[in-house]
Amino acid sequence: MDKEKKIHLKRELGYFWGTNFLILNIIGAGIFVSPKGVLEYSCMNVGIALCIWAVCALLSMTTTLCSAEIGITFPLSGAQYYFIKRCYGPLPAFLRLWTSLFTGAGVMATQALLLAEYSIQPFYPSCSVPKVAMKCLALAMLWIVGILNSRGVKEVTGLQTVSMVLKVAILSLISLSGVYLLVRGKKENVARLQNAFDGEYPDASQIIEAVFQGYFAFSGGGCFTWVAGELKKPSKTIPRCIFTALPLVTMLYLLVNISYMTVLTPREILSSDAVAITWIDRVIPQLTWFIPFAISASLFSNLLINVLESTRGIYIAGQQGQLPLIFNTLNIHSSPLIPVLLNIIIGTIAIVLTNLIELINYLYFVLSIWTVLSMIGLLKLRYQEPDLPRPYKVFIPYIFITMAISLSMVLIPLFKSPKMHYIYVLLFLLSGLLLYIPLTYVKVKLVCFEKMTCYLQLLFNVCIPDKVDEKIQEETFLKRAF
């Protein structure tokens, strides 16, 4: 078989794709809704709110650079999973996979429902969106995304580029319009930013809450740890993408917030559920319908990428022997079809049973725990394996900053509003042991399951990747030939 016909995850994604990928991951619906939360917890102090946005950008940079070290040191698809396994062993890695399987599917369901709601809302201007119609559209969108992902990474590149251009165009329109209004020097516009630091100052707990609100809009920078195995020369590509995308996003976010505060008073921002829509209605009322469409396009691209990321962890877990062999298969488009299908099915169940979606907030609590463990793992490997080839090493204080942010996200909810739900979430995390012990630790083999594996391979036309995958892995760790 020719080299071109080998079936494996290929390194064919470069700087342009990686930059688009990172921008799409970071820019979601957050920038359209988070300004309200930041301003509220800043005690409506405009100057403090803008400073908090700048701080959130710096914190996002530190977190992203920490994830970059993981993706560059272990440039594999699903590197986050492999990293946890290498640092702590197979059991924590399996529990990480168990958590991400349901968290990823739940987040997909949430994004699909929001996408459906924003898409249908313009047709129901004076009433709420019918739930049946919203769920049907959400299911349709979710399965469309699944089909696109099953066709391989190249299939989503065009949609990714269009979505990125649309997002940046919308934010640029809001930014440049705000700058124009300031340059014109209308008294009512300029007055809103004069004496920006006048007014009440928030206390320490309020500042932390405001940082959480802004940090949410910057989240998603760690996405490279899931697709590092498909990037060309990841040791060079990942840093270049980070230092291109994050400054661009930071500049857009700051200008957008300045534009919001130029046109709207702090009280108007706080009274709005979607600040961007209120802004457009005030400045360009002819485009009021366009913002819901832009948010829908934003959520569609995020949904597309979320499926892409979450399937890579399942695929490498099958490769490492922690999941059945069927999960370590690819179709003719070099796409892990079975992991894609599993995520879509769980997401479908979450859409139908909407009460499951309420658990997403609590599952983020668990993801913060895994972030803390990842940062400890970076320090652990620095000490235990100092000679491990590291083309990129993050500045150690950045690791402690990221660890402090994640610890705050774990501890503040526990102390501020302790609920039994957090105990239930931890029990859910440990419930992964019910599968790990018999299937991975004891390695119980069921003849019927082996027959089912063969049947599924024939049904979905998938096969075990060619040995070239193993060669790539050896080159990665021994020769560093990328």
mmCIF file with all atom_site columns, all heavy atoms in Angstrom, residues 69 73-74 82-83 86 378 381-382 384-393 476-478 480:
data_model
loop_
_atom_site.group_PDB
_atom_site.id
_atom_site.type_symbol
_atom_site.label_atom_id
_atom_site.label_alt_id
_atom_site.label_comp_id
_atom_site.label_asym_id
_atom_site.label_entity_id
_atom_site.label_seq_id
_atom_site.pdbx_PDB_ins_code
_atom_site.Cartn_x
_atom_site.Cartn_y
_atom_site.Cartn_z
_atom_site.occupancy
_atom_site.B_iso_or_equiv
_atom_site.pdbx_formal_charge
_atom_site.auth_seq_id
_atom_site.auth_comp_id
_atom_site.auth_asym_id
_atom_site.auth_atom_id
_atom_site.pdbx_PDB_model_num
ATOM 1   N N   . GLU A 1 69  ? 2.902  23.758 26.388 1.00 0.00 ? 69  GLU A N   1
ATOM 2   C CA  . GLU A 1 69  ? 4.021  22.878 26.747 1.00 0.00 ? 69  GLU A CA  1
ATOM 3   C C   . GLU A 1 69  ? 3.608  21.412 26.676 1.00 0.00 ? 69  GLU A C   1
ATOM 4   O O   . GLU A 1 69  ? 4.365  20.552 26.212 1.00 0.00 ? 69  GLU A O   1
ATOM 5   C CB  . GLU A 1 69  ? 4.552  23.193 28.142 1.00 0.00 ? 69  GLU A CB  1
ATOM 6   C CG  . GLU A 1 69  ? 5.710  22.278 28.530 1.00 0.00 ? 69  GLU A CG  1
ATOM 7   C CD  . GLU A 1 69  ? 6.367  22.636 29.851 1.00 0.00 ? 69  GLU A CD  1
ATOM 8   O OE1 . GLU A 1 69  ? 6.298  23.814 30.250 1.00 0.00 ? 69  GLU A OE1 1
ATOM 9   O OE2 . GLU A 1 69  ? 6.952  21.740 30.477 1.00 0.00 ? 69  GLU A OE2 1
ATOM 10  N N   . THR A 1 73  ? 5.397  19.022 23.991 1.00 0.00 ? 73  THR A N   1
ATOM 11  C CA  . THR A 1 73  ? 6.212  17.927 24.536 1.00 0.00 ? 73  THR A CA  1
ATOM 12  C C   . THR A 1 73  ? 5.664  16.569 24.124 1.00 0.00 ? 73  THR A C   1
ATOM 13  O O   . THR A 1 73  ? 6.421  15.629 23.858 1.00 0.00 ? 73  THR A O   1
ATOM 14  C CB  . THR A 1 73  ? 6.271  18.019 26.076 1.00 0.00 ? 73  THR A CB  1
ATOM 15  O OG1 . THR A 1 73  ? 6.724  19.321 26.456 1.00 0.00 ? 73  THR A OG1 1
ATOM 16  C CG2 . THR A 1 73  ? 7.233  16.978 26.646 1.00 0.00 ? 73  THR A CG2 1
ATOM 17  N N   . PHE A 1 74  ? 4.337  16.463 24.080 1.00 0.00 ? 74  PHE A N   1
ATOM 18  C CA  . PHE A 1 74  ? 3.680  15.214 23.669 1.00 0.00 ? 74  PHE A CA  1
ATOM 19  C C   . PHE A 1 74  ? 2.744  15.514 22.494 1.00 0.00 ? 74  PHE A C   1
ATOM 20  O O   . PHE A 1 74  ? 1.531  15.589 22.672 1.00 0.00 ? 74  PHE A O   1
ATOM 21  C CB  . PHE A 1 74  ? 2.893  14.614 24.833 1.00 0.00 ? 74  PHE A CB  1
ATOM 22  C CG  . PHE A 1 74  ? 3.705  14.443 26.087 1.00 0.00 ? 74  PHE A CG  1
ATOM 23  C CD1 . PHE A 1 74  ? 3.527  15.294 27.170 1.00 0.00 ? 74  PHE A CD1 1
ATOM 24  C CD2 . PHE A 1 74  ? 4.654  13.453 26.187 1.00 0.00 ? 74  PHE A CD2 1
ATOM 25  C CE1 . PHE A 1 74  ? 4.272  15.154 28.321 1.00 0.00 ? 74  PHE A CE1 1
ATOM 26  C CE2 . PHE A 1 74  ? 5.410  13.294 27.335 1.00 0.00 ? 74  PHE A CE2 1
ATOM 27  C CZ  . PHE A 1 74  ? 5.224  14.148 28.407 1.00 0.00 ? 74  PHE A CZ  1
ATOM 28  N N   . TYR A 1 82  ? -2.989 11.563 27.366 1.00 0.00 ? 82  TYR A N   1
ATOM 29  C CA  . TYR A 1 82  ? -1.699 10.867 27.463 1.00 0.00 ? 82  TYR A CA  1
ATOM 30  C C   . TYR A 1 82  ? -0.849 11.467 28.574 1.00 0.00 ? 82  TYR A C   1
ATOM 31  O O   . TYR A 1 82  ? -0.172 10.746 29.314 1.00 0.00 ? 82  TYR A O   1
ATOM 32  C CB  . TYR A 1 82  ? -0.957 10.949 26.128 1.00 0.00 ? 82  TYR A CB  1
ATOM 33  C CG  . TYR A 1 82  ? 0.379  10.242 26.156 1.00 0.00 ? 82  TYR A CG  1
ATOM 34  C CD1 . TYR A 1 82  ? 0.472  8.885  25.875 1.00 0.00 ? 82  TYR A CD1 1
ATOM 35  C CD2 . TYR A 1 82  ? 1.547  10.933 26.488 1.00 0.00 ? 82  TYR A CD2 1
ATOM 36  C CE1 . TYR A 1 82  ? 1.695  8.230  25.917 1.00 0.00 ? 82  TYR A CE1 1
ATOM 37  C CE2 . TYR A 1 82  ? 2.767  10.288 26.538 1.00 0.00 ? 82  TYR A CE2 1
ATOM 38  C CZ  . TYR A 1 82  ? 2.836  8.938  26.256 1.00 0.00 ? 82  TYR A CZ  1
ATOM 39  O OH  . TYR A 1 82  ? 4.052  8.289  26.315 1.00 0.00 ? 82  TYR A OH  1
ATOM 40  N N   . PHE A 1 83  ? -0.906 12.786 28.699 1.00 0.00 ? 83  PHE A N   1
ATOM 41  C CA  . PHE A 1 83  ? -0.113 13.478 29.725 1.00 0.00 ? 83  PHE A CA  1
ATOM 42  C C   . PHE A 1 83  ? -0.545 13.050 31.135 1.00 0.00 ? 83  PHE A C   1
ATOM 43  O O   . PHE A 1 83  ? 0.297  12.765 31.989 1.00 0.00 ? 83  PHE A O   1
ATOM 44  C CB  . PHE A 1 83  ? -0.287 14.987 29.541 1.00 0.00 ? 83  PHE A CB  1
ATOM 45  C CG  . PHE A 1 83  ? 0.357  15.814 30.609 1.00 0.00 ? 83  PHE A CG  1
ATOM 46  C CD1 . PHE A 1 83  ? 1.729  15.988 30.651 1.00 0.00 ? 83  PHE A CD1 1
ATOM 47  C CD2 . PHE A 1 83  ? -0.413 16.439 31.590 1.00 0.00 ? 83  PHE A CD2 1
ATOM 48  C CE1 . PHE A 1 83  ? 2.325  16.761 31.635 1.00 0.00 ? 83  PHE A CE1 1
ATOM 49  C CE2 . PHE A 1 83  ? 0.170  17.203 32.574 1.00 0.00 ? 83  PHE A CE2 1
ATOM 50  C CZ  . PHE A 1 83  ? 1.547  17.364 32.592 1.00 0.00 ? 83  PHE A CZ  1
ATOM 51  N N   . ARG A 1 86  ? 0.697  9.555  31.790 1.00 0.00 ? 86  ARG A N   1
ATOM 52  C CA  . ARG A 1 86  ? 2.147  9.496  32.026 1.00 0.00 ? 86  ARG A CA  1
ATOM 53  C C   . ARG A 1 86  ? 2.504  10.021 33.416 1.00 0.00 ? 86  ARG A C   1
ATOM 54  O O   . ARG A 1 86  ? 3.412  9.510  34.064 1.00 0.00 ? 86  ARG A O   1
ATOM 55  C CB  . ARG A 1 86  ? 2.866  10.311 30.952 1.00 0.00 ? 86  ARG A CB  1
ATOM 56  C CG  . ARG A 1 86  ? 4.380  10.283 31.104 1.00 0.00 ? 86  ARG A CG  1
ATOM 57  C CD  . ARG A 1 86  ? 5.060  10.643 29.820 1.00 0.00 ? 86  ARG A CD  1
ATOM 58  N NE  . ARG A 1 86  ? 6.505  10.571 29.932 1.00 0.00 ? 86  ARG A NE  1
ATOM 59  C CZ  . ARG A 1 86  ? 7.316  10.258 28.952 1.00 0.00 ? 86  ARG A CZ  1
ATOM 60  N NH1 . ARG A 1 86  ? 6.816  9.940  27.769 1.00 0.00 ? 86  ARG A NH1 1
ATOM 61  N NH2 . ARG A 1 86  ? 8.630  10.254 29.120 1.00 0.00 ? 86  ARG A NH2 1
ATOM 62  N N   . LEU A 1 378 ? 2.930  19.066 35.273 1.00 0.00 ? 378 LEU A N   1
ATOM 63  C CA  . LEU A 1 378 ? 4.037  19.760 34.611 1.00 0.00 ? 378 LEU A CA  1
ATOM 64  C C   . LEU A 1 378 ? 5.225  19.921 35.548 1.00 0.00 ? 378 LEU A C   1
ATOM 65  O O   . LEU A 1 378 ? 6.377  19.676 35.165 1.00 0.00 ? 378 LEU A O   1
ATOM 66  C CB  . LEU A 1 378 ? 3.563  21.133 34.119 1.00 0.00 ? 378 LEU A CB  1
ATOM 67  C CG  . LEU A 1 378 ? 2.774  21.188 32.813 1.00 0.00 ? 378 LEU A CG  1
ATOM 68  C CD1 . LEU A 1 378 ? 2.295  22.605 32.544 1.00 0.00 ? 378 LEU A CD1 1
ATOM 69  C CD2 . LEU A 1 378 ? 3.608  20.682 31.647 1.00 0.00 ? 378 LEU A CD2 1
ATOM 70  N N   . LEU A 1 381 ? 6.896  16.416 36.196 1.00 0.00 ? 381 LEU A N   1
ATOM 71  C CA  . LEU A 1 381 ? 7.766  15.951 35.116 1.00 0.00 ? 381 LEU A CA  1
ATOM 72  C C   . LEU A 1 381 ? 9.048  16.774 35.028 1.00 0.00 ? 381 LEU A C   1
ATOM 73  O O   . LEU A 1 381 ? 10.103 16.247 34.676 1.00 0.00 ? 381 LEU A O   1
ATOM 74  C CB  . LEU A 1 381 ? 7.017  15.996 33.786 1.00 0.00 ? 381 LEU A CB  1
ATOM 75  C CG  . LEU A 1 381 ? 5.989  14.890 33.527 1.00 0.00 ? 381 LEU A CG  1
ATOM 76  C CD1 . LEU A 1 381 ? 5.437  15.002 32.111 1.00 0.00 ? 381 LEU A CD1 1
ATOM 77  C CD2 . LEU A 1 381 ? 6.576  13.508 33.739 1.00 0.00 ? 381 LEU A CD2 1
ATOM 78  N N   . ARG A 1 382 ? 8.950  18.071 35.339 1.00 0.00 ? 382 ARG A N   1
ATOM 79  C CA  . ARG A 1 382 ? 10.162 18.898 35.349 1.00 0.00 ? 382 ARG A CA  1
ATOM 80  C C   . ARG A 1 382 ? 11.185 18.341 36.350 1.00 0.00 ? 382 ARG A C   1
ATOM 81  O O   . ARG A 1 382 ? 12.392 18.367 36.107 1.00 0.00 ? 382 ARG A O   1
ATOM 82  C CB  . ARG A 1 382 ? 9.816  20.336 35.736 1.00 0.00 ? 382 ARG A CB  1
ATOM 83  C CG  . ARG A 1 382 ? 9.013  21.113 34.721 1.00 0.00 ? 382 ARG A CG  1
ATOM 84  C CD  . ARG A 1 382 ? 9.893  21.785 33.679 1.00 0.00 ? 382 ARG A CD  1
ATOM 85  N NE  . ARG A 1 382 ? 9.090  22.634 32.817 1.00 0.00 ? 382 ARG A NE  1
ATOM 86  C CZ  . ARG A 1 382 ? 8.979  23.948 32.956 1.00 0.00 ? 382 ARG A CZ  1
ATOM 87  N NH1 . ARG A 1 382 ? 9.608  24.556 33.945 1.00 0.00 ? 382 ARG A NH1 1
ATOM 88  N NH2 . ARG A 1 382 ? 8.244  24.651 32.117 1.00 0.00 ? 382 ARG A NH2 1
ATOM 89  N N   . GLN A 1 384 ? 11.055 15.020 37.825 1.00 0.00 ? 384 GLN A N   1
ATOM 90  C CA  . GLN A 1 384 ? 11.359 13.595 37.653 1.00 0.00 ? 384 GLN A CA  1
ATOM 91  C C   . GLN A 1 384 ? 12.041 13.283 36.329 1.00 0.00 ? 384 GLN A C   1
ATOM 92  O O   . GLN A 1 384 ? 12.831 12.329 36.250 1.00 0.00 ? 384 GLN A O   1
ATOM 93  C CB  . GLN A 1 384 ? 10.073 12.770 37.761 1.00 0.00 ? 384 GLN A CB  1
ATOM 94  C CG  . GLN A 1 384 ? 9.463  12.753 39.157 1.00 0.00 ? 384 GLN A CG  1
ATOM 95  C CD  . GLN A 1 384 ? 8.215  11.885 39.235 1.00 0.00 ? 384 GLN A CD  1
ATOM 96  O OE1 . GLN A 1 384 ? 7.604  11.571 38.220 1.00 0.00 ? 384 GLN A OE1 1
ATOM 97  N NE2 . GLN A 1 384 ? 7.842  11.501 40.452 1.00 0.00 ? 384 GLN A NE2 1
ATOM 98  N N   . GLU A 1 385 ? 11.734 14.042 35.277 1.00 0.00 ? 385 GLU A N   1
ATOM 99  C CA  . GLU A 1 385 ? 12.309 13.778 33.962 1.00 0.00 ? 385 GLU A CA  1
ATOM 100 C C   . GLU A 1 385 ? 12.905 15.059 33.388 1.00 0.00 ? 385 GLU A C   1
ATOM 101 O O   . GLU A 1 385 ? 12.420 15.610 32.405 1.00 0.00 ? 385 GLU A O   1
ATOM 102 C CB  . GLU A 1 385 ? 11.249 13.217 33.017 1.00 0.00 ? 385 GLU A CB  1
ATOM 103 C CG  . GLU A 1 385 ? 10.612 11.917 33.495 1.00 0.00 ? 385 GLU A CG  1
ATOM 104 C CD  . GLU A 1 385 ? 9.630  11.353 32.488 1.00 0.00 ? 385 GLU A CD  1
ATOM 105 O OE1 . GLU A 1 385 ? 10.003 11.239 31.297 1.00 0.00 ? 385 GLU A OE1 1
ATOM 106 O OE2 . GLU A 1 385 ? 8.500  11.028 32.887 1.00 0.00 ? 385 GLU A OE2 1
ATOM 107 N N   . PRO A 1 386 ? 13.971 15.548 34.016 1.00 0.00 ? 386 PRO A N   1
ATOM 108 C CA  . PRO A 1 386 ? 14.551 16.817 33.548 1.00 0.00 ? 386 PRO A CA  1
ATOM 109 C C   . PRO A 1 386 ? 15.145 16.722 32.144 1.00 0.00 ? 386 PRO A C   1
ATOM 110 O O   . PRO A 1 386 ? 15.286 17.736 31.460 1.00 0.00 ? 386 PRO A O   1
ATOM 111 C CB  . PRO A 1 386 ? 15.633 17.110 34.594 1.00 0.00 ? 386 PRO A CB  1
ATOM 112 C CG  . PRO A 1 386 ? 15.967 15.772 35.182 1.00 0.00 ? 386 PRO A CG  1
ATOM 113 C CD  . PRO A 1 386 ? 14.697 14.990 35.170 1.00 0.00 ? 386 PRO A CD  1
ATOM 114 N N   . ASP A 1 387 ? 15.495 15.503 31.702 1.00 0.00 ? 387 ASP A N   1
ATOM 115 C CA  . ASP A 1 387 ? 16.113 15.336 30.381 1.00 0.00 ? 387 ASP A CA  1
ATOM 116 C C   . ASP A 1 387 ? 15.098 15.057 29.275 1.00 0.00 ? 387 ASP A C   1
ATOM 117 O O   . ASP A 1 387 ? 15.486 14.831 28.126 1.00 0.00 ? 387 ASP A O   1
ATOM 118 C CB  . ASP A 1 387 ? 17.135 14.189 30.427 1.00 0.00 ? 387 ASP A CB  1
ATOM 119 C CG  . ASP A 1 387 ? 18.283 14.484 31.392 1.00 0.00 ? 387 ASP A CG  1
ATOM 120 O OD1 . ASP A 1 387 ? 18.654 15.671 31.519 1.00 0.00 ? 387 ASP A OD1 1
ATOM 121 O OD2 . ASP A 1 387 ? 18.799 13.534 32.021 1.00 0.00 ? 387 ASP A OD2 1
ATOM 122 N N   . LEU A 1 388 ? 13.824 15.039 29.610 1.00 0.00 ? 388 LEU A N   1
ATOM 123 C CA  . LEU A 1 388 ? 12.800 14.826 28.599 1.00 0.00 ? 388 LEU A CA  1
ATOM 124 C C   . LEU A 1 388 ? 12.857 15.972 27.580 1.00 0.00 ? 388 LEU A C   1
ATOM 125 O O   . LEU A 1 388 ? 12.849 17.141 27.966 1.00 0.00 ? 388 LEU A O   1
ATOM 126 C CB  . LEU A 1 388 ? 11.415 14.791 29.255 1.00 0.00 ? 388 LEU A CB  1
ATOM 127 C CG  . LEU A 1 388 ? 10.221 14.558 28.329 1.00 0.00 ? 388 LEU A CG  1
ATOM 128 C CD1 . LEU A 1 388 ? 10.227 13.133 27.804 1.00 0.00 ? 388 LEU A CD1 1
ATOM 129 C CD2 . LEU A 1 388 ? 8.903  14.839 29.063 1.00 0.00 ? 388 LEU A CD2 1
ATOM 130 N N   . PRO A 1 389 ? 12.939 15.641 26.273 1.00 0.00 ? 389 PRO A N   1
ATOM 131 C CA  . PRO A 1 389 ? 13.010 16.719 25.266 1.00 0.00 ? 389 PRO A CA  1
ATOM 132 C C   . PRO A 1 389 ? 11.800 17.639 25.348 1.00 0.00 ? 389 PRO A C   1
ATOM 133 O O   . PRO A 1 389 ? 10.660 17.197 25.251 1.00 0.00 ? 389 PRO A O   1
ATOM 134 C CB  . PRO A 1 389 ? 13.037 15.949 23.939 1.00 0.00 ? 389 PRO A CB  1
ATOM 135 C CG  . PRO A 1 389 ? 13.556 14.597 24.290 1.00 0.00 ? 389 PRO A CG  1
ATOM 136 C CD  . PRO A 1 389 ? 13.039 14.301 25.660 1.00 0.00 ? 389 PRO A CD  1
ATOM 137 N N   . ARG A 1 390 ? 12.073 18.912 25.563 1.00 0.00 ? 390 ARG A N   1
ATOM 138 C CA  . ARG A 1 390 ? 11.014 19.916 25.639 1.00 0.00 ? 390 ARG A CA  1
ATOM 139 C C   . ARG A 1 390 ? 11.373 21.078 24.714 1.00 0.00 ? 390 ARG A C   1
ATOM 140 O O   . ARG A 1 390 ? 12.089 22.002 25.123 1.00 0.00 ? 390 ARG A O   1
ATOM 141 C CB  . ARG A 1 390 ? 10.853 20.454 27.069 1.00 0.00 ? 390 ARG A CB  1
ATOM 142 C CG  . ARG A 1 390 ? 10.335 19.422 28.074 1.00 0.00 ? 390 ARG A CG  1
ATOM 143 C CD  . ARG A 1 390 ? 10.240 20.057 29.462 1.00 0.00 ? 390 ARG A CD  1
ATOM 144 N NE  . ARG A 1 390 ? 9.682  19.152 30.445 1.00 0.00 ? 390 ARG A NE  1
ATOM 145 C CZ  . ARG A 1 390 ? 10.396 18.275 31.147 1.00 0.00 ? 390 ARG A CZ  1
ATOM 146 N NH1 . ARG A 1 390 ? 11.716 18.207 30.948 1.00 0.00 ? 390 ARG A NH1 1
ATOM 147 N NH2 . ARG A 1 390 ? 9.812  17.487 32.026 1.00 0.00 ? 390 ARG A NH2 1
ATOM 148 N N   . PRO A 1 391 ? 10.892 21.063 23.472 1.00 0.00 ? 391 PRO A N   1
ATOM 149 C CA  . PRO A 1 391 ? 11.185 22.178 22.571 1.00 0.00 ? 391 PRO A CA  1
ATOM 150 C C   . PRO A 1 391 ? 10.690 23.519 23.108 1.00 0.00 ? 391 PRO A C   1
ATOM 151 O O   . PRO A 1 391 ? 11.192 24.561 22.735 1.00 0.00 ? 391 PRO A O   1
ATOM 152 C CB  . PRO A 1 391 ? 10.439 21.791 21.286 1.00 0.00 ? 391 PRO A CB  1
ATOM 153 C CG  . PRO A 1 391 ? 10.291 20.305 21.362 1.00 0.00 ? 391 PRO A CG  1
ATOM 154 C CD  . PRO A 1 391 ? 10.116 19.999 22.805 1.00 0.00 ? 391 PRO A CD  1
ATOM 155 N N   . TYR A 1 392 ? 9.677  23.468 23.981 1.00 0.00 ? 392 TYR A N   1
ATOM 156 C CA  . TYR A 1 392 ? 9.153  24.695 24.589 1.00 0.00 ? 392 TYR A CA  1
ATOM 157 C C   . TYR A 1 392 ? 8.900  24.440 26.068 1.00 0.00 ? 392 TYR A C   1
ATOM 158 O O   . TYR A 1 392 ? 8.322  23.416 26.442 1.00 0.00 ? 392 TYR A O   1
ATOM 159 C CB  . TYR A 1 392 ? 7.843  25.118 23.915 1.00 0.00 ? 392 TYR A CB  1
ATOM 160 C CG  . TYR A 1 392 ? 7.120  26.211 24.661 1.00 0.00 ? 392 TYR A CG  1
ATOM 161 C CD1 . TYR A 1 392 ? 7.544  27.536 24.571 1.00 0.00 ? 392 TYR A CD1 1
ATOM 162 C CD2 . TYR A 1 392 ? 6.045  25.913 25.484 1.00 0.00 ? 392 TYR A CD2 1
ATOM 163 C CE1 . TYR A 1 392 ? 6.897  28.535 25.278 1.00 0.00 ? 392 TYR A CE1 1
ATOM 164 C CE2 . TYR A 1 392 ? 5.389  26.905 26.185 1.00 0.00 ? 392 TYR A CE2 1
ATOM 165 C CZ  . TYR A 1 392 ? 5.821  28.209 26.084 1.00 0.00 ? 392 TYR A CZ  1
ATOM 166 O OH  . TYR A 1 392 ? 5.183  29.202 26.791 1.00 0.00 ? 392 TYR A OH  1
ATOM 167 N N   . LYS A 1 393 ? 9.381  25.349 26.932 1.00 0.00 ? 393 LYS A N   1
ATOM 168 C CA  . LYS A 1 393 ? 9.143  25.249 28.381 1.00 0.00 ? 393 LYS A CA  1
ATOM 169 C C   . LYS A 1 393 ? 8.479  26.540 28.851 1.00 0.00 ? 393 LYS A C   1
ATOM 170 O O   . LYS A 1 393 ? 9.015  27.632 28.660 1.00 0.00 ? 393 LYS A O   1
ATOM 171 C CB  . LYS A 1 393 ? 10.463 25.036 29.134 1.00 0.00 ? 393 LYS A CB  1
ATOM 172 C CG  . LYS A 1 393 ? 11.114 23.683 28.864 1.00 0.00 ? 393 LYS A CG  1
ATOM 173 C CD  . LYS A 1 393 ? 12.490 23.577 29.516 1.00 0.00 ? 393 LYS A CD  1
ATOM 174 C CE  . LYS A 1 393 ? 12.373 23.532 31.018 1.00 0.00 ? 393 LYS A CE  1
ATOM 175 N NZ  . LYS A 1 393 ? 13.688 23.258 31.670 1.00 0.00 ? 393 LYS A NZ  1
ATOM 176 N N   . THR A 1 476 ? 8.276  10.982 17.427 1.00 0.00 ? 476 THR A N   1
ATOM 177 C CA  . THR A 1 476 ? 7.936  12.101 18.306 1.00 0.00 ? 476 THR A CA  1
ATOM 178 C C   . THR A 1 476 ? 8.779  12.091 19.563 1.00 0.00 ? 476 THR A C   1
ATOM 179 O O   . THR A 1 476 ? 9.319  13.115 19.981 1.00 0.00 ? 476 THR A O   1
ATOM 180 C CB  . THR A 1 476 ? 6.448  12.031 18.678 1.00 0.00 ? 476 THR A CB  1
ATOM 181 O OG1 . THR A 1 476 ? 5.676  12.206 17.502 1.00 0.00 ? 476 THR A OG1 1
ATOM 182 C CG2 . THR A 1 476 ? 6.090  13.139 19.649 1.00 0.00 ? 476 THR A CG2 1
ATOM 183 N N   . PHE A 1 477 ? 8.893  10.917 20.190 1.00 0.00 ? 477 PHE A N   1
ATOM 184 C CA  . PHE A 1 477 ? 9.559  10.856 21.484 1.00 0.00 ? 477 PHE A CA  1
ATOM 185 C C   . PHE A 1 477 ? 11.056 10.572 21.386 1.00 0.00 ? 477 PHE A C   1
ATOM 186 O O   . PHE A 1 477 ? 11.798 10.942 22.276 1.00 0.00 ? 477 PHE A O   1
ATOM 187 C CB  . PHE A 1 477 ? 8.895  9.788  22.349 1.00 0.00 ? 477 PHE A CB  1
ATOM 188 C CG  . PHE A 1 477 ? 7.470  10.118 22.689 1.00 0.00 ? 477 PHE A CG  1
ATOM 189 C CD1 . PHE A 1 477 ? 6.455  9.216  22.452 1.00 0.00 ? 477 PHE A CD1 1
ATOM 190 C CD2 . PHE A 1 477 ? 7.136  11.348 23.226 1.00 0.00 ? 477 PHE A CD2 1
ATOM 191 C CE1 . PHE A 1 477 ? 5.148  9.524  22.745 1.00 0.00 ? 477 PHE A CE1 1
ATOM 192 C CE2 . PHE A 1 477 ? 5.838  11.667 23.530 1.00 0.00 ? 477 PHE A CE2 1
ATOM 193 C CZ  . PHE A 1 477 ? 4.825  10.745 23.294 1.00 0.00 ? 477 PHE A CZ  1
ATOM 194 N N   . LEU A 1 478 ? 11.506 9.919  20.298 1.00 0.00 ? 478 LEU A N   1
ATOM 195 C CA  . LEU A 1 478 ? 12.900 9.533  20.241 1.00 0.00 ? 478 LEU A CA  1
ATOM 196 C C   . LEU A 1 478 ? 13.713 10.477 19.335 1.00 0.00 ? 478 LEU A C   1
ATOM 197 O O   . LEU A 1 478 ? 14.787 10.921 19.701 1.00 0.00 ? 478 LEU A O   1
ATOM 198 C CB  . LEU A 1 478 ? 13.039 8.093  19.743 1.00 0.00 ? 478 LEU A CB  1
ATOM 199 C CG  . LEU A 1 478 ? 12.345 7.024  20.621 1.00 0.00 ? 478 LEU A CG  1
ATOM 200 C CD1 . LEU A 1 478 ? 12.502 5.646  19.997 1.00 0.00 ? 478 LEU A CD1 1
ATOM 201 C CD2 . LEU A 1 478 ? 12.913 7.032  22.027 1.00 0.00 ? 478 LEU A CD2 1
ATOM 202 N N   . ARG A 1 480 ? 12.347 13.310 17.691 1.00 0.00 ? 480 ARG A N   1
ATOM 203 C CA  . ARG A 1 480 ? 11.800 14.670 17.672 1.00 0.00 ? 480 ARG A CA  1
ATOM 204 C C   . ARG A 1 480 ? 11.847 15.232 16.250 1.00 0.00 ? 480 ARG A C   1
ATOM 205 O O   . ARG A 1 480 ? 12.133 16.405 16.023 1.00 0.00 ? 480 ARG A O   1
ATOM 206 C CB  . ARG A 1 480 ? 12.566 15.606 18.626 1.00 0.00 ? 480 ARG A CB  1
ATOM 207 C CG  . ARG A 1 480 ? 12.834 15.049 20.006 1.00 0.00 ? 480 ARG A CG  1
ATOM 208 C CD  . ARG A 1 480 ? 11.582 14.637 20.700 1.00 0.00 ? 480 ARG A CD  1
ATOM 209 N NE  . ARG A 1 480 ? 10.719 15.767 20.941 1.00 0.00 ? 480 ARG A NE  1
ATOM 210 C CZ  . ARG A 1 480 ? 9.534  15.686 21.530 1.00 0.00 ? 480 ARG A CZ  1
ATOM 211 N NH1 . ARG A 1 480 ? 9.079  14.529 21.933 1.00 0.00 ? 480 ARG A NH1 1
ATOM 212 N NH2 . ARG A 1 480 ? 8.801  16.761 21.688 1.00 0.00 ? 480 ARG A NH2 1
#
